[in-house]
Amino acid sequence: MTSNDDQANRLPFSLKDIEIVGAAPEQPGHGRRLFVLFSETATERDVLKTFAEKTLQQDGGALSLAWVRETKERDSLQHDGLADDLGGTENLLIVPVGVAWKPKSQQQQSWRQIMGWTHLIGSDFRQRRVLKTRPERCAIVFGEAATLGELRLRHGRHAADDTGTAPGNTNAFADYVALQAALTIERDARAVTGETIKYPRFVTRALWGRKTFQAQLERVAAENGRPIAEVREEARRCLKELVPNSRAPHISAAWAFSRAVCRLGYEDKLCYDKQKVAEIRRMALTRPLALVFTHKTHIDGVAIMLATRDESFPLVHMIGGENMAFAGVGYLMRRAGAVFIRRSIDSPVYKIVMRQYLSYLMEKRFPVSWALEGTRSRNGKLMPPRFGILKYVVEAAAKENMRDLTIVPVSIYYDLIAELSDYATEQTGAKKRKESLAWMADYLRSLRKPLGRISFGFGEPVVVDTTKPEISGAIAAEDESFSVHLQKLAFEASVSANAVTPITPSSLFTLILTGASPRALTEKEINRRILALRDWAMARSLPVTEEIAKLDVPRIRMVAGAMIEMGVISRYDGGPEPVYGVAPGKHFEASYYRNTAIHFFVTKAIAELALAKAAAAKTEALSVFWAEAAALRDLFKFEFFYPPLDQFNADIEVELRRYDPDWASKIQGADAMTLLASMGPLVSHAVLRPFAEAYSIVADVLLDARMITDATDKQGVVEAALKYGQQAFLQRRITGEESIGKLMFENAFNLAANRNLIAGDDASLKKARQTFRDMLDDLTNRLRAVADIASSKPSTQTVTEPPVYSNGSADHPGATTTH
């Protein structure tokens, strides 16, 4: 063994310069202790060796040492002679000891400082240089100790060794002790580094040692006639592909990078209800938690990362597609907890690994997060949810009999969005640009403009008891009823997310301008209409932003200025007074902002159109009204989320009663049009006209054999509709270019297929398609009629009682605002 003098000459440090964190615990009655010395590099091993030699001289014969080191293979630990040392009595005290490296500063670290800390971890060369120049950045950490008996008890509960043998195997127990020592050092080193976030380490090794994991691999091998060694090798590859290698410096680096990205165009402060977030954090610490968010832009994930980091959540594991794991950003985010999954999963081994990994994260109380829609919304509305990740999460929770899996819907919304021009291009049929470093550079450049604030709304949590027979039984039997449960969960989460997505100034501004298009509006007209919509929303206690609650004429001008700067709207000053309209070629961008809050207006819009239908009825006008409301609900079922039919009808009644308590008698008495005219502000022409016109374009395409050769070819029908839509716009058969869009045409095709209008007997099919087209013609005519009524009189709210807001006052309180 090397003498202390020789060691001091060889290493560029002195123990007196190195901080000792914690104290070496004493064994009662001066019993034996075993120091398990954990190191990642040769430098760390030398530091611990110097410390151990000094401790041995002072301790006498009651202390022994065992070495554990991390190898180059990820999550792999090598221990020298540890198995022999674990043959002692049950009261042998096992003490983990390791090395931690401090960042240069724990306050307001620069990007350069964070990256320097990142490069220091695992780098033998850099660590030696720091020991020579700044030895105080190195610390020796004593981890929490445990007796040999306690560790044996824990190990016996769930461990299997590397080959799946019984937990009594000596090497398997030594592996377990080595892993626990490494994990303890990682956890207790946070007191040194200042990195307070909880994150998982050595996940692959922990998963591999699980009995259930090994048993499932053996079952797959038996069912598929494959050698178990081959199946295990595939599982190792899947683990390497899926499981992030998270480290504290990389988490800090990813956080700094995310903050820098958001600061390019958005205000530094994220806006959310801190009390609500604190409540969700408490849930994250005590139960399995999933944050499912609405997907508007590429920075949704980093926004979640920043918000949860600021509020000291355990590390949130963001689940996304492998397309985002490109060089550079993918490398950093993987080490900060991002989980990149395959787009298509057909390997049973991959599915097992995915479920086991998700169950591990939830069991250890690490929240998972993903986009509810599975892709970014290209039109501003909440897209239909996808069930893939939700399915794996629920299955993983069921495997561990979790009773309180908690799914929290998160609505992320932005004052302005930089990607809308890309979305508009895609809606013309162009392909999405592939993600890469070059794409990333262009995207970051697009953020270099004032974009306002990033805000969050948190919906009511959806709690899932996966032990219920209707869930656990359906999973075990691989029954189709499980899909029904998933759909209900996803629908409930979607409705909850919509309910907390607030109305913003930009959504009201664009609602008014797209509804008036192609007309431009004066400032007075805009002020009158936007304030009427504001009053309508607040009278119903709908969620609105703080700016909406405080909206006045000067603030409306500020909103107009911001949207003019973004190029979404235009202002013409050449006449006697300025007028505003949607900027040429920007109807899609304007409709995107409108659609972010459109769901709040759909019920009223349907009621308006049903009234217009009832007004034309010669008999049974009230029955016609309810039949048309149900028909419109069904017509747009691929566009919007609705409550159950009974609740939907009740909501219509409540809305009409606000304008006239005797509304039903008015309709039955052939006075429906008068009731409709009193329902200002009218919104159906602004809310539903683009969808009705888009559907009518597809109906024309299906009727005209010159435009398509195969009506069953969805892509062909959509492409034909994109071309014909341009002609229809030039002929002014549709109001605006916003009615030309790939997503709306796809939904129109889905509706036609749902109504058996795609394939069948030629004669009956043509008649059914013509009936469908005539129905849409009638609808678009009613929409024009409503638009004429809206433009011919002031848009004021004429309710029978003054609006009473959530604080009991007739003044706008801001109590239902989102900050």
Side-chain angles (χ1 to χ4, degrees):
M1 186 169 288
T2 309
S3 69
N4 286 343
D5 291 338
D6 292 339
Q7 188 76 9
N9 290 332
R10 189 164 65 87
L11 291 175
F13 73 95
S14 171
L15 278 178
K16 66 181 181 180
D17 297 323
I18 294 178
E19 181 184 3
I20 308 295
V21 179
E26 295 291 338
Q27 178 68 294
H30 302 285
R32 291 197 59 79
R33 294 180 298 168
L34 172 65
F35 280 10
V36 180
L37 303 159
F38 170 67
S39 64
E40 293 186 62
T41 65
T43 299
E44 292 179 0
R45 187 177 177 89
D46 287 341
V47 170
L48 291 174
K49 192 173 184 178
T50 303
F51 168 76
E53 289 173 356
K54 181 178 179 181
T55 306
L56 280 172
Q57 289 178 353
Q58 297 172 348
D59 194 87
L63 174 67
S64 55
L65 306 176
W67 291 91
V68 175
R69 64 185 180 88
E70 188 171 0
T71 66
K72 290 183 179 180
E73 183 180 350
R74 192 174 72 178
D75 277 7
S76 179
L77 297 173
Q78 181 175 324
H79 45 85
D80 303 326
L82 179 58
D84 295 334
D85 291 317
L86 296 176
T89 59
E90 296 290 295
N91 66 346
L92 172 67
L93 189 64
I94 299 175
V95 184
V97 186
V99 175
W101 300 92
K102 305 175 187 178
K104 283 186 178 180
S105 170
Q106 294 181 3
Q107 303 293 328
Q108 299 294 325
Q109 296 182 60
S110 68
W111 173 254
R112 184 175 179 180
Q113 287 175 328
I114 290 173
M115 292 311 297
W117 185 33
T118 301
H119 293 149
L120 183 61
I121 303 302
S123 171
D124 193 61
F125 170 76
R126 288 187 172 90
Q127 288 174 356
R128 284 188 177 273
R129 187 167 62 183
V130 166
L131 278 178
K132 184 176 181 180
T133 59
R134 297 281 301 278
E136 69 276 6
R137 290 183 62 190
C138 178
I140 293 172
V141 179
F142 279 100
E144 183 180 359
T147 66
L148 181 61
E150 291 169 341
L151 289 171
R152 279 178 175 157
L153 186 61
R154 293 182 210 166
H155 174 249
R157 281 198 291 263
H158 63 266
D161 73 358
D162 189 63
T163 59
T165 57
N169 181 281
T170 304
N171 287 329
F173 180 54
D175 289 344
Y176 176 77
V177 172
L179 175 61
Q180 295 307 305
L183 289 172
T184 302
I185 292 300
E186 286 281 344
R187 181 194 67 199
D188 295 348
R190 295 174 196 157
V192 176
T193 64
E195 177 55 71
T196 57
I197 192 168
K198 174 188 173 186
Y199 62 94
R201 279 280 280 145
F202 303 104
V203 177
T204 298
R205 191 175 183 87
L207 284 175
W208 197 263
R210 292 193 161 195
K211 291 178 181 179
T212 54
F213 186 39
Q214 295 294 336
Q216 288 179 29
L217 295 180
E218 290 169 1
R219 178 175 55 81
V220 167
E223 290 175 353
N224 293 273
R226 297 175 60 188
I228 184 61
E230 179 183 296
V231 171
R232 283 185 174 138
E233 182 57 33
E234 182 183 351
R236 289 183 190 276
R237 291 196 301 270
C238 293
L239 284 166
K240 187 174 182 180
E241 179 182 337
L242 275 173
V243 179
N245 186 21
S246 302
R247 301 302 300 270
H250 294 96
I251 293 169
S252 290
W255 174 81
F257 172 77
S258 300
R259 180 73 74 189
V261 168
C262 290
R263 281 175 174 168
L264 289 174
Y266 292 101
E267 295 178 14
D268 192 38
K269 182 182 177 183
L270 301 176
C271 301
Y272 50 80
D273 184 335
K274 281 187 168 290
Q275 184 175 353
K276 183 73 173 178
V277 174
E279 179 184 338
I280 296 170
R281 179 182 178 273
R282 286 192 292 272
M283 294 180 190
L285 296 174
T286 57
R287 61 177 67 181
L289 186 81
L291 301 171
V292 294
F293 57 88
T294 58
H295 202 7
K296 296 293 192 298
T297 82
H298 280 295
I299 62 174
D300 293 331
V302 299
I304 288 278
M305 179 188 297
L306 290 176
T308 54
R309 160 89 180 210
D310 289 347
E311 298 301 324
S312 301
F313 276 62
L315 182 63
V316 174
H317 287 67
M318 194 67 55
I319 305 174
E322 61 185 354
N323 60 304
M324 295 302 295
F326 52 85
V329 175
Y331 173 88
L332 178 61
M333 291 304 175
R334 275 186 63 85
R335 282 152 184 77
V339 182
F340 297 109
I341 63 173
R342 299 174 186 175
R343 290 291 194 180
S344 177
I345 302 174
D346 53 10
S347 165
V349 175
Y350 188 93
K351 292 177 182 179
I352 287 172
V353 171
M354 171 80 87
R355 293 189 193 99
Q356 285 285 334
Y357 178 47
L358 291 173
S359 67
Y360 174 88
L361 291 176
M362 290 187 286
E363 176 190 327
K364 300 299 183 184
R365 302 301 183 252
F366 290 106
V368 293
S369 183
W370 70 92
L372 180 62
E373 303 141 287
T375 185
R376 288 169 294 152
S377 171
R378 269 35 176 215
N379 60 8
K381 295 191 295 95
L382 185 65
M383 303 282 284
R386 295 189 181 176
F387 310 126
I389 299 175
L390 178 63
K391 176 177 181 287
Y392 283 108
V393 167
V394 174
E395 286 177 341
K399 294 289 184 185
E400 298 299 325
N401 296 316
M402 296 179 183
R403 296 179 176 273
D404 53 358
L405 169 62
T406 303
I407 300 171
V408 179
V410 183
S411 174
I412 310 176
Y413 47 97
Y414 304 81
D415 289 349
L416 297 171
I417 295 175
E419 290 136 278
L420 294 194
S421 59
D422 293 339
Y423 296 165
T425 302
E426 289 178 31
Q427 289 308 295
T428 64
K431 290 185 177 181
K432 181 174 77 76
R433 185 179 174 188
K434 186 177 180 180
E435 290 82 2
S436 64
L437 278 176
W439 165 86
M440 186 69 179
D442 290 341
Y443 176 66
L444 293 179
R445 278 192 288 270
S446 74
L447 295 175
R448 292 182 177 275
K449 65 189 78 169
L451 296 170
R453 303 193 302 182
I454 302 174
S455 304
F456 297 82
F458 297 91
E460 286 301 312
V462 180
V463 180
V464 185
D465 182 354
T466 61
T467 65
K468 288 185 176 179
E470 58 265 31
I471 296 180
S472 59
I475 293 174
E478 298 183 355
D479 192 87
E480 289 186 3
S481 63
F482 180 47
S483 296
V484 176
H485 286 293
L486 288 178
Q487 291 174 25
K488 289 180 179 177
L489 286 176
F491 178 82
E492 190 174 348
S494 298
V495 170
S496 183
N498 257 346
V500 294
T501 302
I503 298 170
T504 63
S506 58
S507 66
L508 289 190
F509 212 102
T510 50
L511 179 74
I512 291 167
L513 291 182
T514 56
S517 182
R519 286 184 58 231
L521 298 177
T522 66
E523 187 175 275
K524 288 182 179 178
E525 289 175 317
I526 289 174
N527 291 342
R528 185 169 62 242
R529 296 185 188 198
I530 202 169
L531 291 174
L533 285 170
R534 187 275 309 272
D535 292 345
W536 178 89
M538 297 197 72
R540 288 149 181 81
S541 298
L542 298 177
V544 298
T545 61
E546 188 176 7
E547 291 82 359
I548 284 285
K550 298 178 179 179
L551 205 60
D552 54 20
V553 172
R555 287 186 173 91
I556 293 174
R557 288 179 182 146
M558 289 176 62
V559 174
M563 301 200 76
I564 289 171
E565 187 174 348
M566 284 291 291
V568 176
I569 67 173
S570 63
R571 169 179 164 137
Y572 177 73
D573 295 314
E577 60 180 322
V579 292
Y580 298 82
V582 178
K586 296 295 183 179
H587 278 77
F588 172 82
E589 287 85 341
S591 68
Y592 189 100
Y593 289 114
R594 176 203 64 204
N595 287 349
T596 59
I598 199 174
H599 49 282
F600 290 117
F601 302 94
V602 170
T603 300
K604 185 178 191 299
I606 288 176
E608 291 173 8
L609 292 173
L611 281 173
K613 183 78 170 182
K618 296 180 180 179
T619 59
E620 299 294 333
L622 189 59
S623 297
V624 170
F625 170 83
W626 284 118
E628 180 63 9
L632 291 171
R633 183 179 187 270
D634 184 73
L635 179 66
F636 297 116
K637 63 186 175 183
F638 289 100
E639 303 291 349
F640 306 109
F641 295 93
Y642 301 108
L645 183 59
D646 290 346
Q647 182 61 50
F648 175 78
N649 290 339
D651 291 344
I652 288 179
E653 288 192 40
V654 169
E655 181 65 21
L656 292 175
R657 197 176 297 118
R658 285 178 174 271
Y659 295 94
D660 192 329
D662 199 25
W663 64 272
S665 297
K666 287 280 181 69
I667 295 175
Q668 196 64 30
D671 207 9
M673 193 56 74
T674 302
L675 177 60
L676 173 61
S678 73
M679 288 179 61
L682 298 174
V683 297
S684 57
H685 59 296
V687 172
L688 296 178
R689 182 167 60 188
F691 303 98
E693 291 182 343
Y695 284 23
S696 69
I697 290 171
V698 172
D700 280 342
V701 168
L702 291 174
L703 275 170
D704 194 335
R706 295 172 300 174
M707 288 192 269
I708 54 169
T709 57
D710 181 8
T712 63
D713 178 11
K714 182 176 181 178
Q715 183 176 347
V717 171
V718 170
E719 289 176 356
L722 288 168
K723 295 175 182 177
Y724 176 63
Q726 290 295 333
Q727 176 184 323
F729 173 65
L730 292 172
Q731 294 176 309
R732 295 301 183 261
R733 295 185 60 190
I734 59 175
T735 307
E737 291 176 289
E738 63 173 316
S739 300
I740 307 169
K742 183 179 176 182
L743 285 175
M744 288 189 293
F745 292 156
E746 288 175 345
N747 284 341
F749 182 92
N750 294 337
L751 179 70
N754 180 257
R755 296 190 173 194
N756 299 315
L757 300 176
I758 300 302
D761 176 70
D762 288 346
S764 59
L765 194 59
K766 184 173 182 179
K767 183 179 179 180
R769 289 174 179 174
Q770 186 62 56
T771 302
F772 181 58
R773 182 66 180 86
D774 293 343
M775 179 269 293
L776 290 168
D777 277 344
D778 174 65
L779 178 59
T780 53
N781 287 334
R782 276 182 278 143
L783 284 164
R784 292 189 190 99
V786 173
D788 290 341
I789 296 172
S791 62
S792 65
K793 61 184 300 180
S795 298
T796 55
Q797 185 178 6
T798 54
V799 295
T800 56
E801 72 276 355
V804 177
Y805 303 114
S806 57
N807 66 350
S809 160
D811 298 323
H812 295 314
T816 57
T817 62
T818 302
H819 299 279

